[in-house]
Amino acid sequence: MRLIALSTCITSIILSSASFAQTPTSHQFINDAILPPIQAWQGKSEALLVSHDHPWVTPFEQQGYITSPDYAHTMQWLDKLVSRSANLQKVSIGKSPQGRDIWMIIASKDGAASPQQLNKNNKATVLVQAGIHSGEIDGKDAGMMLLRDMAFGTKQSLLDNVNLLFIPIFSVDGHERSTEYNRVNQRGPVNMGWRTTATNLNLNRDYAKADAPEMQHLIHVINQWQPDLYIDVHVTDGIDYQYDVTFGYNVEQGYSPSIFNWLENTYRPQVESALTENDHIPGKLIFANDNADMSQGLSYWNPSPRYSNGYGDARHLPTILIENHSLKPFKQRVLGTYVMLEQTLKTVASHADTLTAAIKQDQQRLSPQITLTWQNEPQSNWDFKGIDYRIEKSEISGADVVRWDGRSKLYAALPVTGNTKADIQVQRPKAYYIPAQWAAVIDKLTLHGIEISTLTTPVNIRAEQYQFEQPQFGQADYESRQTVTAKLNASLIDITVPAGTVKVSTAQSLGDLVILLLEPQAEDSLFYWGFFNTIFTRTEYIEDYAVEPLAVKMLAENPSLKAEFALALQDKDFAQNSEARLRWFYERSPYYDTQYQVYPVLREIN
């Protein structure tokens, strides 16, 4: 069964009672025929749905649970709800590249409309964001239902001890690039938005570098509104399994172990219990090591700060990544999300004190050693509620392909690997010093809410300085940037840092994030993302006719240099390379560029 686009079939946000809600079937979406068999589902959470003639029926409910409204109809419905409820306010967090407002709904008992007003009620605040990948829009429709029930239904008491910030559509431009042919592996809604922004950036790769205007707006929200817990709602890709709602967060070995313990021991049990009671099947965030061979086990993910939950780990903001299962019908996924969001508000309200304590513990930890990269290591085995499959030889590709058969299968004690073993580590510096000319870097730190200061007088410091060699640039642009990695050597120097230099202390609540952004070897450092790539550009040279007599003079005046050159000549490749031999002298001459491949950021040591 196929429906026409929502934008042409909805004439008003609250449809007349003559409209009818279509009964879902197992063949509702254009891609059903090419997807694995579907498992029939009915659950207690269906009681959350209202009838098509309810005065606050959402477009999702009105249209048979298989469509999601476009941007205009979403905001039209929300505007009407907000205008009638004293507990709801709406603010724009900024404009998208195509000029659309990114709206946020503030839900609080006292109708707060600003961060200052919200802070006065002394309640914990939950930030929920839908549509970072706007084809994965379950959170929007679930959030609309929940707001309706908190404003005029049976859930008004949810706001007694907690506040909710709700961004219904984060990637608003991608949301409007909507057709029924997006996300072929996902069962609904009928029309789905696009994965990336209007400039083709993936917002869930952008937290650390924050290139997209949308991401910059979101980080401003986090800094200004100071949520105590942040939820990022997605829909999966990948394998088939029984779970309909999976979710994950930072790992215990990471930068926020106290937050991990709260999420693992307080939050997860309560949310999983609520989902189970409503006939959903919750699970841990799941990735297969081999999508075609479940015996290879599962992957436990320690995300880097380019992702929402990795960024939350770095800045000590409890962050939950929801991944609803793409092969489950849209209705089931939306209802599962509703249950999870409702229970989140209940759990945060009931355990706000311990949540706040966990956040403060991690903010104040200031670990003397910080891990920059991680290696895989074995984890505890998992029992996995999977779907059975067979392997067939494809007549189309000639390769082996997986055929999921729709039958439930328990894969007992599957092996699990995860990137939780510390690899490259550094000692926590006292501070970093950034020359004023690196304004883009300084601006990025400020955007993240990191405290900086500018020297008004010169300062003498003992510091580490990095010198790079063998830079390796990405062969293709990645998320609009040319990434780079390099080997480095560190040397201790005593230096006078001039006035105007920016000092960034690591003794602050975002100190770990400072380190992960400014240490070149960190997985999502600003160095890796290309913010310093100009240091690898040679801009001054010496002609052969000048370096020849210079070399003769240098050898005559420096016997130790002469001995060093003789030793270098024992390398046959070097000895036979005239350019390398001349470059050898140039690099040791006073004419050489002393800033070439030198990291301009200094590490002040304790």
Side-chain angles (χ1 to χ4, degrees), residues 208-254:
K209 62 184 178 67
D211 282 335
E214 297 97 326
M215 183 56 65
Q216 294 168 13
H217 299 326
L218 177 67
I219 292 173
H220 281 306
V221 166
I222 292 172
N223 289 332
Q224 293 168 3
W225 294 82
Q226 291 293 310
D228 299 278
L229 188 140
Y230 170 35
I231 292 182
D232 178 21
V233 187
H234 291 249
V235 181
T236 66
D237 304 299
I239 62 174
D240 199 1
Y241 44 73
Q242 298 172 50
Y243 309 101
D244 55 355
V245 181
T246 68
F247 61 98
Y249 29 80
N250 61 296
V251 302
E252 186 174 18
Q253 297 86 343

Side-chain angles (χ1 to χ4, degrees), residues 22 58 221 426 452:
Q22 303 181 39
T58 66
V221 166
V426 295
I452 66 173

Side-chain angles (χ1 to χ4, degrees), residues 290-537:
D290 184 341
N291 285 358
D293 184 359
M294 291 307 302
S295 69
Q296 297 302 309
L298 303 171
S299 173
Y300 180 55
W301 186 37
N302 180 10
S304 71
R306 76 186 64 173
Y307 304 99
S308 60
N309 46 336
Y311 182 69
D313 187 22
R315 68 175 294 149
H316 315 306
L317 168 61
T319 301
I320 297 157
L321 176 65
I322 297 178
E323 286 280 6
N324 294 326
H325 189 215
S326 63
L327 295 176
K328 303 297 186 289
F330 186 49
K331 172 186 174 183
Q332 182 178 352
R333 303 195 321 259
V334 170
L335 292 177
T337 305
Y338 181 114
V339 172
M340 184 163 181
L341 297 184
E342 179 186 1
Q343 185 58 49
T344 295
L345 296 178
K346 292 178 178 178
T347 298
V348 171
S350 299
H351 300 276
D353 290 344
T354 55
L355 174 59
T356 300
I359 294 170
K360 288 183 178 179
Q361 287 171 9
D362 288 330
Q363 289 176 338
Q364 296 171 2
R365 177 169 283 104
L366 303 181
S367 174
Q369 191 170 57
I370 297 293
T371 301
L372 304 180
T373 62
W374 304 85
Q375 294 179 343
N376 278 335
E377 62 180 349
Q379 312 287 320
S380 299
N381 290 356
W382 292 358
D383 289 339
F384 176 65
K385 296 178 181 179
I387 298 293
D388 206 356
Y389 66 94
R390 64 185 183 277
I391 301 294
E392 293 182 353
K393 182 71 69 175
S394 169
E395 295 181 359
I396 303 300
S397 67
D400 289 340
V401 294
V402 173
R403 305 293 188 200
W404 305 101
D405 64 16
R407 296 180 299 174
S408 298
K409 179 177 179 179
L410 177 66
Y411 296 85
L414 279 182
V416 181
T417 57
N419 55 328
T420 56
K421 182 180 180 181
D423 184 17
I424 299 174
Q425 296 180 308
V426 295
Q427 293 298 313
R428 188 184 205 92
K430 181 179 179 181
Y432 293 92
Y433 290 81
I434 308 172
Q437 63 266 28
W438 295 95
V441 172
I442 296 166
D443 289 346
K444 198 66 65 177
L445 299 178
T446 303
L447 169 69
H448 285 292
I450 292 167
E451 297 174 6
I452 66 173
S453 60
T454 302
L455 300 183
T456 57
T457 58
V459 173
N460 297 320
I461 63 170
R462 186 161 179 79
E464 279 188 311
Q465 186 172 57
Y466 293 143
Q467 172 81 48
F468 298 113
E469 59 183 29
Q470 300 178 27
Q472 299 291 321
F473 295 94
Q475 295 183 351
D477 282 356
Y478 176 47
E479 292 298 314
S480 83
R481 291 195 165 269
Q482 186 179 30
T483 59
V484 62
T485 58
K487 293 183 178 180
L488 61 80
N489 296 305
S491 58
L492 284 176
I493 59 173
D494 294 304
I495 187 172
T496 300
V497 181
T501 300
V502 166
K503 178 182 178 181
V504 189
S505 170
T506 64
Q508 57 176 294
S509 63
L510 296 180
D512 289 354
L513 181 60
V514 170
I515 296 169
L516 295 175
L517 291 175
L518 292 180
E519 284 295 330
Q521 297 177 98
E523 293 181 70
D524 282 316
S525 69
L526 299 180
F527 172 84
Y528 168 81
W529 284 112
F531 283 79
F532 295 95
N533 278 5
T534 53
I535 68 174
F536 296 106
T537 303

Side-chain angles (χ1 to χ4, degrees), residues 18-49:
S19 302
F20 86 97
Q22 303 181 39
T23 302
T25 71
S26 60
H27 295 287
Q28 300 167 326
F29 306 109
I30 194 171
N31 54 341
D32 269 329
I34 62 175
L35 295 179
I38 191 172
Q39 290 189 318
W41 178 83
Q42 286 186 311
K44 292 180 182 177
S45 60
E46 290 177 298
L48 298 168
L49 299 166

Side-chain angles (χ1 to χ4, degrees), residues 7-27:
S7 60
T8 60
C9 71
I10 294 181
T11 56
S12 66
I13 210 63
I14 304 299
L15 297 184
S16 70
S17 60
S19 302
F20 86 97
Q22 303 181 39
T23 302
T25 71
S26 60
H27 295 287

